[in-house]
Amino acid sequence: MTTTTIPRGKYHIWTVGCQMNQADSQRIQTMLEGMGWEEANMDQANLVVLNTCSVRKAPEEKAHNQLALLKYAKEKRDDLLVALMGCMIGNQKTIDELSKRYPHIDLFMKVEQADILPRFLEERWTPISGAGCLDIEFMPNEEALSEQAQRLTTLPNEPQTPTFATSFSRSGKRTVLPMAITPKPGERIAHYPTKIEPKKASPTAWLPIVLGCNKVCTYCIVPYRRGRERSRPIDELMIEARLLVEKGAKEVTLLGQTIESYGLDLANQPNLADLMTSLSEIDGLDRIRFMTSYPRYMTDSMIERMASLPKVCEHLNIPVQAGHNDTLKRMKRGYSIEEYYEKIDRVRELWPNISLSTDVIVGFCGETDEEFQTTLDMIERVRFDVVHVAAYSVRPGTVAARWEDDIPLAEKKRRLHAVEEVQSKIALAINQQYLDRTEEVLVEESNETHGRQQWKGRNRANKLVFFPQPEEGQQPIQIGDLVNVRIERTTPWSLQGCAVEV
């Protein structure tokens, strides 16, 4: 068979935001590598994918800064394509506004439309350098090439317009040189990319099991950007999990905005415990984590079953957001603080060694000093291992965006620091209980501190653990190993110790 070389491009994926975004980026990376593209730094890449987040203002501003930098890069380079995905991709109005503000964006897509990437790159990527292989039998003949060249030279010299993979019907005519990708109604079915075959998986891998969210929290943009809840079938998840383990994953984290709602929309309504039971049968999978939890979906039966599975780690992320019922009502969280307390107490009763993390928003619309103090009291009462705290920022398109953002920025910062101060003391007291204990740690990465190699990983309770390279003569350590570490020092944020042989 006669072949000739053709170039392959280089890509860079810039990701900001939650674990779901990281999982989506993994999927895009696998698709690109499957097409022969190579990962590179942003300044060397021919395709830059920005996976964005608009849950808070700060990550959205970072994306705008990147888009501004890429504008100047595209002015200097003819071999650069820019794609935008993630939660900044909203409805058609939002996309049109972004397209007008940033005309250098070549592709708008949601992860459910990622299957457009191969055709997009085929039609828009003009190779400059590199090497690949193309079967001569599939190359167009000279007559076809001549006709194409004639057609291109007669086209008006107009700027290229972006490809839209986010809507199925558009008014007016959209053309993209050299060809247009214009899906028609009913022509394409949006689906989450499932044929994921990475060359190599990290020891810790993300496994999205519930896409979207059915909640209508007044501050949150996620349901408007990711759509309604859709559970992925157990068979599909088992295939993907086995593949991740074959490629090197030792731990998978199941992802969903309200993870315990898994299966409610499926025909036979399997629940989260059913899925975990199936995943536990995979040889080579050592740990299973899950996030994010919602109080009302957690049943006693579900908690008991998960607690009984040896591979399920003893950690629960269960956002509370605020400690006062009036604030929770304005947020439309769907539970009272008393219900939240009851659920936490029940979890600790049924799963005694579990660690807890939560999310808290300070400075939400109308939050009084009394309401905020109740939040501090709540943190003292529950004694979380970790509190992720953020100052409220207005998200256009949410219900709360119509209300007055009446808490000054300085007061938001004061409240944020107050939460951090209280939680720091609690976390230190909890972590000090680990002194002189031996913890099983999954090694995730290594770095150098003061010229000495140091390993980083997490114990089953999701605590960050750092320990140095063992002395010569001991078993060498590699990323992905499960290592027993004796804890010698603690801080509010991590544990430090030394590897021991057991």
Side-chain angles (χ1 to χ4, degrees), residues 300-342:
D300 284 4
S301 173
M302 188 183 297
I303 296 168
E304 288 177 319
R305 289 181 62 193
M306 293 190 298
S308 69
L309 294 170
K311 292 187 178 183
V312 178
C313 291
E314 300 83 3
H315 177 71
L316 180 68
N317 175 254
I318 182 166
V320 61
Q321 304 300 3
H324 196 283
N325 282 331
D326 289 349
T327 316
L328 291 172
K329 187 175 181 179
R330 290 197 302 277
M331 290 180 168
K332 208 169 183 180
R333 286 293 292 169
Y335 53 80
S336 68
I337 195 61
E338 291 78 19
E339 290 175 305
Y340 186 89
Y341 287 152
E342 181 180 352

Side-chain angles (χ1 to χ4, degrees), residues 234-391:
I234 286 184
D235 290 347
E236 178 182 300
L237 294 169
M238 290 294 291
I239 292 172
E240 186 171 330
R242 286 194 179 97
L243 183 58
L244 289 169
V245 172
E246 288 174 8
K247 299 298 183 178
K250 298 291 185 68
E251 170 187 296
V252 296
T253 300
L254 312 182
L255 298 178
Q257 296 294 330
T258 51
I259 195 83
E260 285 85 8
S261 69
Y262 174 76
L264 293 177
D265 58 329
L266 295 178
N268 54 349
Q269 292 198 333
N271 63 28
L272 182 61
D274 295 327
L275 173 61
M276 288 183 173
T277 300
S278 296
L279 290 170
S280 294
E281 297 173 359
I282 299 177
D283 292 334
L285 177 60
D286 296 318
R287 291 179 172 183
I288 301 170
R289 299 190 188 275
F290 61 104
M291 63 186 304
T292 301
S293 295
Y294 182 75
R296 285 197 167 180
Y297 288 150
M298 301 179 68
T299 65
D300 284 4
S301 173
M302 188 183 297
I303 296 168
E304 288 177 319
R305 289 181 62 193
M306 293 190 298
S308 69
L309 294 170
K311 292 187 178 183
V312 178
C313 291
E314 300 83 3
H315 177 71
L316 180 68
N317 175 254
I318 182 166
V320 61
Q321 304 300 3
H324 196 283
N325 282 331
D326 289 349
T327 316
L328 291 172
K329 187 175 181 179
R330 290 197 302 277
M331 290 180 168
K332 208 169 183 180
R333 286 293 292 169
Y335 53 80
S336 68
I337 195 61
E338 291 78 19
E339 290 175 305
Y340 186 89
Y341 287 152
E342 181 180 352
K343 186 62 65 176
I344 292 296
D345 293 343
R346 190 62 175 150
V347 167
R348 281 176 164 159
E349 179 182 345
L350 298 173
W351 208 341
N353 298 319
I354 198 163
S355 64
L356 299 175
S357 63
T358 196
D359 299 345
V360 168
I361 296 174
V362 298
F364 186 63
C365 308
E367 184 184 59
T368 64
D369 290 339
E370 177 188 353
E371 290 175 7
F372 173 66
Q373 182 58 50
T374 306
T375 294
L376 291 179
D377 296 341
M378 176 271 300
I379 293 172
E380 292 273 16
R381 181 199 186 285
V382 177
R383 297 184 68 80
F384 299 98
D385 292 73
V386 175
V387 173
H388 305 286
V389 58

Side-chain angles (χ1 to χ4, degrees), residues 198-216:
K199 296 178 181 177
K200 185 178 179 180
S202 162
T204 59
W206 308 112
L207 184 59
I209 68 170
V210 183
L211 313 174
C213 183
N214 287 355
K215 298 292 168 285
V216 285

